[in-house]
Amino acid sequence: AQSVTQLDSQVPVFEEAPVELRCNYSSSVSVYLFWYVQYPNQGLQLLLKYLSGSTLVESINGFEAEFNKSQTSFHLRKPSVHISDTAEYFCAVRPHRGGYNKLIFGAGTRLAVHP
Amino acid sequence: GAGVSQSPSNKVTEKGKDVELRCDPISGHTALYWYRQSLGQGLEFLIYFQGNSAPDKSGLPSDRFSAERTGGSVSTLTIQRTQQEDSAVYLCASSLESVSGGSPLHFGNGTRLTVT
């Protein structure tokens, strides 16, 4: 079975500061990795994903995440956050052992950006 | 086009009553998921439908919970004899699934269930 651990339930940060949201996973097979974001009063949407190839993936709004297989991590980073980045961020994994497999989410990290 | 639609958006029910939550996925999406979102608990997987395959029910918390998907489209999540701990936001998501596993999930806005 797979599991996802998001080490911080809440991360407060000042505007224009860097931020890292941590995600570790556990799996006996290879996995695909995802970050989803839920802005206040909105539904969840995909932020970025790692399927294969380069271990560093980027989103269109400046976030990036790096897949580290040895540390089983997929931490999300942004060098300078904006007020509009305030949201809840969910890390998720899906095993790719053949066939169709469900997506498992972590508990979420609430990012609060202060002016 | 239209996104994932869930109804009702809010439901208040008395303990012990049965409830039905509905999800209309995006047309053509073969995969459909139900998740439960509780404060501080993140997204708890409930059930996963993929095409004509048998659903993955491994996340259903008790036999009071059941779900079906008719005609590969609309899905209904039923909770029998509701309990206060069932109070949560129930999220539905659909995906144009592929074995590669990279297709994103498209989420509905959820049904907020309150059991009094």
Side-chain angles (χ1 to χ4, degrees):
Chain A
Q2 289 70 41
S3 66
V4 180
T5 302
Q6 292 185 244
L7 297 163
D8 307 295
S9 59
Q10 295 188 65
V11 173
V13 64
F14 287 109
E15 193 172 19
E16 298 183 4
V19 71
E20 177 179 81
L21 307 183
R22 294 178 293 171
C23 172
N24 287 86
Y25 68 92
S26 172
S27 177
S28 58
V29 300
S30 297
V31 295
Y32 300 116
L33 295 149
F34 305 80
W35 277 98
Y36 280 77
V37 59
Q38 186 174 32
Y39 296 105
N41 301 314
Q42 294 186 30
L44 278 93
Q45 55 190 285
L46 180 68
L47 183 62
L48 48 74
K49 63 183 178 183
Y50 170 77
L51 304 182
S52 64
S54 172
T55 57
L56 184 66
V57 291
E58 299 178 352
S59 72
I60 58 173
N61 59 351
F63 281 93
E64 64 179 30
E66 185 160 21
F67 169 51
N68 188 318
K69 187 175 182 179
S70 63
Q71 296 186 6
T72 60
S73 68
F74 192 53
H75 301 330
L76 183 69
R77 303 184 182 95
K78 189 170 185 179
S80 175
V81 293
H82 301 131
I83 296 287
S84 59
D85 293 324
T86 293
E88 188 147 21
Y89 293 79
F90 294 91
C91 182
V93 302
R94 163 181 276 161
H96 55 88
R97 57 177 172 233
Y100 299 95
N101 300 289
K102 60 182 179 278
L103 191 65
I104 299 298
F105 285 87
T109 296
R110 187 170 297 276
L111 176 64
V113 182
H114 302 284
Chain B
V4 177
S5 177
Q6 292 188 246
S7 60
S9 55
N10 280 284
K11 176 71 177 179
V12 180
T13 190
E14 292 180 354
K15 178 182 172 180
K17 295 285 180 70
D18 298 351
V19 294
E20 281 190 356
L21 312 180
R22 177 187 169 101
C23 173
D24 281 273
I26 293 173
S27 178
H29 279 191
T30 55
L32 187 148
Y33 293 78
W34 283 98
Y35 291 90
R36 179 166 69 177
Q37 186 174 22
S38 306
L39 192 63
Q41 299 298 314
L43 282 161
E44 178 187 3
F45 167 77
L46 298 177
I47 188 168
Y48 165 47
F49 296 90
Q50 167 51 36
N52 295 322
S53 303
D56 181 343
K57 303 180 181 180
S58 60
L60 295 178
S62 76
D63 59 8
R64 296 187 295 105
F65 288 72
S66 63
E68 57 181 32
R69 188 178 185 193
T70 55
S73 181
V74 172
S75 177
T76 303
L77 177 69
T78 301
I79 309 173
Q80 297 178 308
R81 305 182 301 282
T82 53
Q83 303 294 314
Q84 289 186 329
E85 60 263 28
D86 299 335
S87 297
V89 176
Y90 289 81
L91 293 170
C92 177
S94 72
S95 170
L96 188 61
E97 205 79 319
S98 67
V99 179
S100 69
S103 301
L105 269 61
H106 298 262
F107 281 85
N109 288 329
T111 294
R112 182 175 297 277
L113 175 67
T114 304
V115 182
T116 61

